[in-house]
């Protein structure tokens, strides 16, 4: 494979709105020791990308300053010390930054094979959300068969991943959504039920659906006033996983209720995690979840695509919060790829 000297990429001109994303020409990165260079066909759009664009989520030391945390494509080159991959392999990967580009250097431990039957466009929707949910809900909060999991933002990327991971793990997901269209989508992904937050009392509905037991685990991207709702909806010994704070970084927490229910509230972000931690998450995904994703009848997320040069449009669409599933950017190399 002939690798060009430069590439199209999307940079952040200055912190701000979607218009801050600008196409630029940059040198193609050189894979360092332990890295692979991926010729990017598609790059997923995620909440942390929006936060970085606004100036609220700086890349960790040594990471690319370009946005983009997940890609799918073909391996173009391999750094020293890498085994198990070859040039031309179709892969998906969790980047440390730099995914909004035609080429991305990615630590090999964060790279996975494409599931059977998935296009590169579809595969680009997986890494960031599945790594996040595997790290927090599965590995940290101990998701187990038979548990009931309340999933806020069920129709989004994180929510959809949580619903499907619950299904594979033998747990039951209850999705929280804002309209009936999103409720149908979540149930199609495998949710036991969906709660319309604009019409129903979330905690009361959870208790009714679980015969008064409550949710054993809660996946929350909202924060703020919803924290107290999560406490009320939790079962004794439950664990609330805080992944984002879209509607409030501070909350009034009913501590006495938390104590009485013996609850755990944990929070973390994925990007600053060590290479070893991310590699361990990838290993867990490969062993526990990839086989199921390759089943012919597996339900894939809804995907809307945008040309890489129009990343600003994808960010504006994500900020509208009207979409469901994932938003994906396509390079010229990935233009012929399609989502089913």
């Amino acid at each position: 494979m002939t690798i060009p000297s430069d590439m199209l990429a999307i940079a952040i001109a200055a912190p701000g709105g979607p218009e801050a994303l600008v196409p630029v020409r940059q040198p193609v990165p050189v894979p360092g020791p332990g890295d692979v260079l991926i010729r990017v066909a598609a790059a997923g759009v995620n909440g942390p990308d929006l936060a970085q664009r606004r100036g609220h989520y700086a890349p960790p030391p040594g990471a690319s300053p370009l946005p983009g945390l997940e890609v799918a494509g073909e391996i173009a080159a391999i750094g020293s010390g890498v085994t198990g991959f070859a040039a031309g392999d179709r892969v998906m990967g969790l980047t440390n930054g730099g995914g909004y580009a035609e080429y991305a250097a990615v630590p090999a431990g964060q790279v996975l094979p494409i599931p059977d039957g998935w296009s590169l466009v579809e595969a680009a929707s997986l890494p960031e959300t599945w790594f996040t949910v595997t790290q927090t809900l599965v590995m940290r909060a101990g998701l187990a068969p038979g548990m009931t999991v309340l999933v806020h933002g069920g129709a989004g990327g994180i929510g959809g991943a949580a619903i499907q991971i619950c299904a594979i793990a033998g747990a039951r997901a209850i999705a929280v959504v804002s309209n009936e269209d999103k409720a149908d989508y979540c149930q199609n992904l495998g949710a036991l039920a969906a709660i319309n937050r604009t019409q129903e009392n979330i905690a009361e509905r959870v208790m009714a659906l679980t015969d008064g037991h409550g949710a054993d685990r809660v996946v929350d991207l909202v924060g703020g006033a919803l924290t107290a709702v999560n406490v009320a909806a939790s079962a004794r010994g439950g664990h609330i996983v805080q992944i984002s704070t879209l509607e409030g970084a501070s909350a009034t927490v009913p501590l006495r209720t938390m104590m009485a229910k013996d609850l755990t509230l944990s929070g973390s972000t994925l990007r600053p995690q060590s290479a070893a931690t991310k590699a361990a998450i990838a290993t867990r995904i490969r062993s526990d979840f990839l086989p199921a994703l390759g089943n012919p009848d597996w339900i894939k997320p809804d995907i809307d695509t945008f040309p890489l040069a129009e990343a600003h449009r994808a960010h504006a669409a994500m900020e509208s919060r009207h979409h469901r599933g994932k938003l994906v950017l396509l390079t010229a190399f990935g233009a012929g790829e399609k989502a089913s």
Side-chain angles (χ1 to χ4, degrees):
M1 181 184 298
T2 301
I3 300 172
S5 60
D6 70 347
M7 64 180 183
L8 174 66
I10 301 298
I12 300 171
E19 69 281 355
L21 298 177
V22 294
V24 296
R25 301 297 303 185
Q26 288 196 354
V28 171
V30 176
D35 292 344
V36 298
L37 180 68
I38 298 176
R39 185 184 186 191
V40 177
V45 177
N46 294 283
D49 302 338
L50 276 63
Q52 180 180 345
R53 190 205 71 222
R54 297 177 188 130
H56 303 320
Y57 197 45
S64 169
L66 301 176
L69 297 176
E70 61 183 355
V71 298
E74 292 184 0
I75 292 182
I78 296 175
S80 62
V82 174
T83 60
F85 293 104
D89 285 352
R90 288 163 60 93
V91 296
M92 59 185 182
L94 177 78
T95 77
N96 295 330
Y100 288 11
E102 293 181 311
Y103 289 83
V106 184
Q110 297 163 211
V111 176
L112 290 165
I114 304 293
D116 291 343
W118 287 64
S119 70
L120 293 177
V121 174
E122 293 163 340
S125 74
L126 290 174
E128 201 276 340
T129 53
W130 283 66
F131 270 71
T132 296
V133 177
T134 300
Q135 178 211 0
T136 55
L137 178 62
V138 178
M139 299 173 70
R140 189 169 184 185
L143 180 68
M147 286 183 173
T148 298
V149 182
L150 181 65
V151 180
H152 293 280
I158 291 286
I163 289 168
Q164 295 199 305
I165 284 173
C166 285
I168 296 171
R172 301 178 298 272
I174 298 173
V176 180
V177 297
S178 59
N179 59 54
E180 292 308 308
D181 177 66
K182 291 182 177 181
D184 292 342
Y185 174 69
C186 291
Q187 290 180 283
N188 189 48
L189 290 178
L192 167 71
I195 300 171
N196 188 330
R197 61 180 171 81
T198 69
Q199 300 176 358
E200 300 178 270
N201 181 296
I202 295 173
E204 289 181 0
R205 182 68 173 138
V206 169
M207 289 300 172
L209 288 167
T210 60
D211 296 325
H213 176 78
D216 301 293
R217 299 291 183 266
V218 178
V219 176
D220 183 24
L221 295 86
V222 182
L226 202 61
T227 305
V229 174
N230 292 336
V231 171
S234 290
R236 179 172 179 79
H239 190 145
I240 302 167
V241 175
Q242 199 72 45
I243 291 178
S244 187
T245 55
L246 295 176
E247 294 183 7
S250 299
T252 299
V253 182
L255 294 177
R256 289 181 183 270
T257 305
M258 283 195 69
M259 293 164 63
K261 288 189 171 185
D262 193 22
L263 301 183
T264 298
L265 170 61
S266 66
S268 67
T269 54
L270 178 62
R271 195 172 190 184
Q273 301 296 324
S274 69
T277 296
K278 292 175 182 177
I281 299 168
T283 297
R284 189 69 177 266
I285 293 172
R286 184 191 288 260
S287 64
D288 289 12
F289 304 130
L290 278 190
L293 292 176
N295 290 337
D297 57 351
W298 187 260
I299 302 299
K300 299 170 186 173
D302 282 0
I303 295 174
D304 291 328
T305 61
F306 299 80
L308 176 63
E310 299 178 19
H312 63 285
R313 290 182 51 225
H315 275 225
M318 189 165 186
E319 286 184 335
S320 75
R321 298 177 72 173
H322 295 314
H323 75 286
R324 64 186 197 185
K326 289 292 295 273
L327 306 176
V328 173
L329 305 177
L330 300 182
T331 67
F333 173 55
E337 292 279 334
K338 298 186 182 297
S340 59

